[in-house]
Amino acid sequence: MTYAPFGSQGGHGDVHETSTVRPYAVTGGRVRSAMSDLPLEALVEVMPGGAVSSYGLPPERRAILQHAAHTYVSIAELSALLRLPLGVVRILVADMQEEGHITVHTSTPVNVHTGHGSSNSGLSLSVLESVLNGISAL
């Protein structure tokens, strides 16, 4: 099984850069990481200076930095672009986030405080009631 981490182009005279490294070798044999349950739609952004510090990184990690250097790119898109299994890309992205090369933006639900339990964060019940009253007045 071969993977082309930098993509392949169709046509005549192609230059195919392929890797014969097995996916489990790319992740060091790990099938999970602390944050490997990242959603497919999570967006990856390169931290300032992250692309500069790519020297010495494995090719798969450099490719992630290259693809996410100019725009947000989802984990699913990275998987397709690198031609690596989704689980492998999730582990690589989680590792790179822990190392401070990238940041991952997920759509986490808003914590709503409804008057029960802790009142440390979230929207208060009075704000929600005001919004509901405003909508009803329309």
Side-chain angles (χ1 to χ4, degrees), residues 33-59:
S33 71
M35 298 183 67
S36 63
D37 60 340
L38 293 168
L40 301 174
E41 69 276 4
L43 297 176
V44 176
E45 175 187 19
V46 176
M47 297 298 288
V52 175
S53 65
S54 67
Y55 182 76
L57 290 177

Side-chain angles (χ1 to χ4, degrees), residues 3-4 12 21 32 55 64 68 72 76 83 86 97 106 111 116 119 126 132-133 136-137:
Y3 295 97
H12 300 292
V21 176
R32 290 185 184 243
Y55 182 76
I64 290 172
Y72 293 101
R83 295 186 179 179
L86 186 59
Q97 182 180 16
T106 59
N111 181 17
H116 298 85
S119 62
S126 62
L132 182 60
N133 290 338
S136 298

Side-chain angles (χ1 to χ4, degrees), residues 5 8 14 33 52 73 95 100-102 135:
S8 299
D14 290 345
S33 71
V52 175
V73 62
D95 290 348
H101 294 288
I102 60 173
I135 292 173

Side-chain angles (χ1 to χ4, degrees), residues 42-120:
L43 297 176
V44 176
E45 175 187 19
V46 176
M47 297 298 288
V52 175
S53 65
S54 67
Y55 182 76
L57 290 177
E60 295 81 12
R61 291 181 182 214
R62 283 195 317 266
I64 290 172
L65 290 176
Q66 288 172 355
H67 287 296
H70 304 291
T71 185
Y72 293 101
V73 62
S74 73
I75 292 177
E77 290 172 307
L78 285 172
S79 177
L81 290 167
L82 274 64
R83 295 186 179 179
L84 286 172
L86 186 59
V88 171
V89 174
R90 279 180 168 164
I91 292 171
L92 291 174
V93 166
D95 290 348
M96 292 176 73
Q97 182 180 16
E98 289 176 8
E99 294 166 1
H101 294 288
I102 60 173
T103 184
V104 179
H105 302 279
T106 59
S107 56
T108 56
V110 175
N111 181 17
V112 177
H113 173 64
T114 58
H116 298 85
S118 173
S119 62
N120 293 340

